[in-house]
Amino acid sequence: MDASALQVIVPIAGIAAVAFAIYLARDVLSRDKGPQAMQDVADTIREGADAFIRRQYQTIGLLALVGAVIIGLVITVFETKDVADTGTFGLELGIRTGIAFLVGAACSMASGIIGMYISVRSNVRTAAAARRSLVEAVQVAMRGGAVSGFLVVALSLLGVWGIFAAYGGLAGGQSTHDAPFLIVGFGFGASFVALFAQLGGGIYTKAADVGSDLVGKVEAGIPEDDPRNAGVVADLVGDNVGDCAGRGADLFESTAAENIGAMILGVGAFTIAQAAGWPNPTAWIFFPLVVRSFGLLATIVSMFFIRGREDENPMNILNRGYWVTTILSVVGLAITTYVMMNTGGTAGANGIPVWVWFFGAGIVGLATSVAFVYITQYYTAGTFRPVREIAQASKTGPATNIISGTAVGFETTFVTAISIGIALIASHWLGEQAGLRTEDGRNVGGIFGTAVATMGMLMTTAYILAMDTFGPITDNAGGVAEFSRSEAGAREITDRLDAVGNTTKALTKGYAIASASLAAFLLFSAYIDKVNLIETNRHGPLLTSVNLANVSVFVAALIGAMLVYFFSSLAIRAVGKTAQSIIVEVRRQFREMPGIMDYTQRPDYARVVDITTRAALGEMVLPGFVAVGTPIAVGLLLGHEAIAGMLMVGTIAGVLLATVLNNGGGAWDNAKKYIESGHLLDDSGNVIGKKTEAHAAAVVGDTVGDPFKDTAGPSLHVLVKLLATITLVLAPLFIR
Amino acid sequence: MDASALQVIVPIAGIAAVAFAIYLARDVLSRDKGPQAMQDVADTIREGADAFIRRQYQTIGLLALVGAVIIGLVITVFETKDVADTGTFGLELGIRTGIAFLVGAACSMASGIIGMYISVRSNVRTAAAARRSLVEAVQVAMRGGAVSGFLVVALSLLGVWGIFAAYGGLAGGQSTHDAPFLIVGFGFGASFVALFAQLGGGIYTKAADVGSDLVGKVEAGIPEDDPRNAGVVADLVGDNVGDCAGRGADLFESTAAENIGAMILGVGAFTIAQAAGWPNPTAWIFFPLVVRSFGLLATIVSMFFIRGREDENPMNILNRGYWVTTILSVVGLAITTYVMMNTGGTAGANGIPVWVWFFGAGIVGLATSVAFVYITQYYTAGTFRPVREIAQASKTGPATNIISGTAVGFETTFVTAISIGIALIASHWLGEQAGLRTEDGRNVGGIFGTAVATMGMLMTTAYILAMDTFGPITDNAGGVAEFSRSEAGAREITDRLDAVGNTTKALTKGYAIASASLAAFLLFSAYIDKVNLIETNRHGPLLTSVNLANVSVFVAALIGAMLVYFFSSLAIRAVGKTAQSIIVEVRRQFREMPGIMDYTQRPDYARVVDITTRAALGEMVLPGFVAVGTPIAVGLLLGHEAIAGMLMVGTIAGVLLATVLNNGGGAWDNAKKYIESGHLLDDSGNVIGKKTEAHAAAVVGDTVGDPFKDTAGPSLHVLVKLLATITLVLAPLFIR
């Protein structure tokens, strides 16, 4: 098959995924909404989520507009002819970059909004289905989640492809060669939106969680999910805006930015292919788009495998779909590499064809994603040593629970770093064997190998994201069932799904971290390519090395590593402040509306949601600006080599701290659940369950873990990718 | 004055400091030991500390012996003629390195043992003095602490100088040029001992603290420092072995390793000076020794300024001495740079003499040490926002206390990183202006500027260490007064001193971190110099850059950053395990010795101390081997450029995590004290003091912070310096 024929798959797969998402959405929406009591609760949640999303995306939209104008101006002024990386520069480039930024931002927002639209409607339908059947409930929740998954990935694919086409990427030759550099603004726009979506959603969800717990359970002494506590609805809203919209934006930008980075590296391969006279040089640039398209198609097929027995562990049903996606992705990867990496007979090391080496690199990426799925399970599921250790430590009180959880969180960096290290070295080595050599003899195959691995990993994104959104939907379904005092059978099913949802949410974070680390190397190389293109045009010295022995690089690296702590500190503190405003409001309601306590008065849910929304959006601004401003300041002060050091070391530090926060938080959460399900025994073999001191200690750990794993950790994923896109877009500003 | 005349000051200052330490020790020992009850308690503590130190140093001594043999063998086998950095290689170098390692280890152990000998005898005398006068108590405690301070610094000075002299450093010419490379084993030996001393002591002290609290206060419901709890004596012993011996070993190795690293950089300056015909080329190599000698002399003088009024804040008395040391150090620095950096008229930038530029760099180092003293105070003292914020958060329970403390801990990285960044860039810039140019035109003045700044900072080490040891002495004095039911006046004074001691202990950690970060750059440059000397001899490619864009460097950097988390995880977990063995033993005593509770039976203090000792020493082995083994494994697998990346990024990560752990822990501790001293008010202005829920929450935070700030954090200081000395010594092993 001809490579250019294969390229047609990009719009086809993108449109097919959108169509399939519409089909799934219609299917979900047509389902039974359950009794009126359920619908009432769900309506309240939906209204709150809509209100938050509307206000949040208005704020973000405004910020993005300002951002686009500033970036456009900066590019216009600084990326003049003599420092431009392509033939487009000055005002034209400024406008193009600003537009790309806005399109990226708009696509990210659209996928967030539509995903939320379905997820807040899937929850009640999942709860209703749970009254009849576990498998049906799994299907409804997973299909609802898949709407998000497909839309996020399809919009990112179509968005990158569309802007690439609009900027001449399909014209071939030099025009295709230049286009990847013109669309980096798209990735920046996506990162920008993701940062604020994740921060705002993350602050909202955990502030509502912590605030309503403290004012209800601790102060007023009423149960955790009691309808008398107006903060509880905010908590249910929070599950949607944090886990669903936030993670969606996170992975939208992963896929977009990494895709663009890989295309920039593809330009290097294109030049080599052209010089060597290989059949289809532009295929190397199109490769990331095509391979992702196959991933989307594989995920569509897998949706038909989400079926099982009523008495089956729901996790098995989801795993089945994941393995179908993975195996079909391997097939798609083989086809793509075979067709698109046609070298007309030129072989790599040991006479093995070039495409086989890169196919191997892609497999490394897929394997890494599988590895992270299992690593995360080991560290956060109750069946293994880490969670049991924390549960045991809870016997001697909250202090030992926290110490033990911290030790577990720190420990998880070991296997994370080793896995990433192996993946990078293996994919780099495989790529080197393929032997793509530039005119001056440099082997750029290694870097391209890491790019292929990243793309391989991203093939399953839609499925992972569907599993992730499954989490808040089932969590909400449980809340809806509880609130509407549904039958015990339904609640038993939603509880089982909720436990599975906790695992899938944790998996997604592990996946996001692994992709961020693989991508760091790729985006970093893209940055160096871009700098050197500029330097070549202006006849400046090439950036051949980011030298840690250079004092400004070292200091920038130090600041990069510091930034991840400082940013997390701001995010965690924002949760505390926002929680305070919830506490104050719910206290006021208890005081001024005495009928709430004897159920004669309905609490003012909307007001709490509104107050939380405003507080969370206000609090997201400072960490957001610190995240955007620090790399710009460091780049301006210390120059283009130093900012590269900041990017790399900031990524290392961010990935590790996010691992600590996500896994530590997940382990604390499940240690509490471990005790609640009666697995913890005392020395005489009696169960230490709910309402014991050990349980109280475990609740402390769970509460501490909340802002770690749902606010700071996920925001760090976005931060590290933002570092990469900022440096890519603003490179001309930093060159000395 | 001639530079070689100034060199005589090294043995003079070293011997003077030892003599002065003996004078102080005799003075302290001649003082009143108080009533028999006090002496009994103090004897029990002393016996426990002696037992621990004896056993710990036997273990460490054995490990060091094995280490020396292995290193000697490795050097003999690998550092053959063609990869040697000097004319000494093979068996001769192996033996010399092994001996240097052992001498370094022995000096470190000796200073730890002697310091401990005095500190466990100063506590009771401080308690006795507190019955009469605050100023006298301050003097006794500070003099007791100063014995440690002077011995540690003097032994490190005399040790480095002695081994340097023994290996031909005083012979002049090529022999002096080579000697710094031959003595790196001394630094490695010191690091090796420091690692295990800090780990063992740190695990012991916090396990005793946490374990005795849990079994006494939480389980048995008796007060915190109750004599019926046999674990309490172990806790008092722990203050000595952790804070005193541990930090002493930490700073012993800082001063030794940084001194040697600066001498290696001095070799570069020597070559330049020789080529330029400057008056005294070897002075550049001797500079670090001489400047430290002036620091020691300044500290001796300052001891006579430790005086004040009875109603004065004891911190002011100590600060007065610190400022005297700092100001005299400035004078000493001016003399040293003026005399030793005589360029025979060659000036640096703007016609300003070379020595003036380096004098400026040294001032930057001294200023950094002052800055860290105040930064630490801001973040850990109850008078400022961070601690008050944590105390406020305690009102809503332990979870918010932990969240708030974590946010504060993370936040402290900001000002830490910025200060270090400014210090590095400023001292590097000043050094560059001096303009030391090699034959091929490279300006090595910048790196030498950072070395001078590090040396400037280290001038006050003896004083800082004296203040640090003041901490455990006064802490113990309080315990002795409490245990022996001394008069209220004495206890009031020891309480005030204890609070000051908490601050001084925190300051020392800040100081150790700052010196580790400045030194990282210097030791890293020394490593590169050594590698290039080897490469020059074997005609290999020079290491001109540690390129983060190189995949193996990136992966090594990732592993370096991971190592600090993983190591901390092991250290924290070791505390938990050791605490368990205390809990089991005290429980047994309560059960089998029923007379303990009504004071008719004396608890078996010695047995608890013995059990804790054995457990702590057993638990220190795993983290110790991980710390030593990981850099060796990475160096062997990924090569000499990658290990340099690991060293740098591991240092960045280690410094920041140590900052988080130390300052977070210190802030939690003082938030508890803030509440205990009645500063926390409720909404109506009533005091929320001891025995409230807020206080209980603050106690949880304090307990969590204990292993952070006293085990993991300080062990990280040692870890980052160990990374540097290992790479320096084993460089030939890693070269590809």
Side-chain angles (χ1 to χ4, degrees), chain A residues 324-388:
Chain A
V324 171
T325 311
T326 303
I327 290 164
L328 290 178
S329 294
V330 172
V331 176
L333 185 68
I335 296 172
T336 317
T337 44
Y338 177 70
V339 174
M340 304 202 77
M341 296 180 171
N342 186 346
T343 54
T346 312
N350 303 324
I352 296 169
V354 167
W355 75 269
V356 174
W357 290 113
F358 284 119
F359 173 63
I363 295 290
V364 168
L366 276 164
T368 307
S369 113
V370 174
F372 267 82
V373 164
Y374 285 95
I375 292 169
T376 315
Q377 289 206 34
Y378 175 75
Y379 275 108
T380 60
T383 28
F384 303 99
R385 191 259 310 157
V387 167
R388 288 205 312 262

Side-chain angles (χ1 to χ4, degrees), chain A residues 13-14 16-18 20-22 24-25 110-112 114-116 118-119 122 141-157 243-245 247-249 251-252 255 292 295-297 299-300 303 458-470 473 508 511:
Chain A
V18 172
F20 192 63
I22 293 172
L24 291 176
S111 61
I114 306 172
M116 277 284 302
I118 298 301
S119 92
S122 307
M142 191 62 189
R143 288 180 168 210
V147 174
S148 246
F150 281 115
L151 281 177
V152 164
V153 179
L155 276 178
S156 130
L157 181 70
D243 288 327
C244 173
R247 197 85 62 261
L251 288 181
F252 180 90
T255 52
R292 283 180 59 205
L296 259 181
L297 295 177
T299 311
I300 292 178
M303 280 295 133
L458 288 186
M459 291 181 85
T460 57
T461 302
Y463 194 87
I464 296 277
L465 203 47
M467 286 212 288
D468 181 66
T469 311
F470 176 90
I473 291 175
T508 314
Y511 179 83

Side-chain angles (χ1 to χ4, degrees), chain A residues 214 389 403 407 410-411 413 424 521 524 544-549 554 561-562 565 569 572-573 648 656-657, chain B residues 214 389 396 403 407 410-411 413 424 521 524 544-549 554 561-562 565 569 572-573 648 656-657:
Chain A
L214 287 175
E389 192 174 292
I403 291 173
F410 283 9
E411 185 195 321
T413 59
L424 275 175
F521 210 71
F524 176 71
T544 52
S545 150
V546 177
N547 185 5
L548 264 176
F554 182 77
M562 173 273 282
Y565 281 113
S569 163
I572 292 171
R573 185 168 288 142
M648 292 300 260
L656 293 177
L657 185 58
Chain B
L214 287 176
E389 193 175 290
T396 38
I403 291 174
F410 282 8
E411 184 193 323
T413 58
L424 276 175
F521 210 71
F524 176 72
T544 53
S545 152
V546 177
N547 186 5
L548 263 177
F554 182 77
M562 173 275 282
Y565 281 113
S569 162
I572 292 171
R573 186 166 289 143
M648 292 301 260
L656 293 178
L657 185 58

Side-chain angles (χ1 to χ4, degrees), chain B residues 356-402:
Chain B
V356 174
W357 290 112
F358 285 118
F359 173 64
I363 295 291
V364 167
L366 276 163
T368 306
S369 116
V370 173
F372 267 81
V373 164
Y374 285 94
I375 292 169
T376 314
Q377 288 206 35
Y378 175 74
Y379 275 107
T380 59
T383 28
F384 302 99
R385 191 259 310 159
V387 167
R388 288 204 315 260
E389 193 175 290
I390 299 173
Q392 289 294 339
S394 308
K395 287 181 183 172
T396 38
T400 40
N401 168 286
I402 299 292

Side-chain angles (χ1 to χ4, degrees), chain A residues 544-635:
Chain A
T544 52
S545 150
V546 177
N547 185 5
L548 264 176
N550 184 327
V551 75
S552 61
V553 174
F554 182 77
V555 170
L558 176 67
I559 293 175
M562 173 273 282
L563 178 61
V564 307
Y565 281 113
F566 187 59
F567 173 80
S568 301
S569 163
L570 294 175
I572 292 171
R573 185 168 288 142
V575 172
K577 283 195 200 158
T578 308
Q580 280 302 323
S581 46
I582 297 172
I583 292 175
V584 170
E585 168 60 16
V586 176
R587 271 190 202 149
R588 188 197 62 79
Q589 294 194 9
F590 284 157
R591 197 173 55 237
E592 296 176 9
M593 300 158 81
I596 289 180
M597 274 300 163
D598 52 14
Y599 297 97
T600 57
Q601 220 171 348
R602 188 175 186 267
D604 191 345
Y605 298 123
R607 208 176 133 85
V608 172
V609 169
D610 189 57
I611 287 173
T612 318
T613 301
R614 263 183 289 142
L617 296 184
E619 292 294 337
M620 81 182 177
V621 176
L622 177 62
F625 276 114
V626 166
V628 177
T630 311
I632 296 178
V634 169

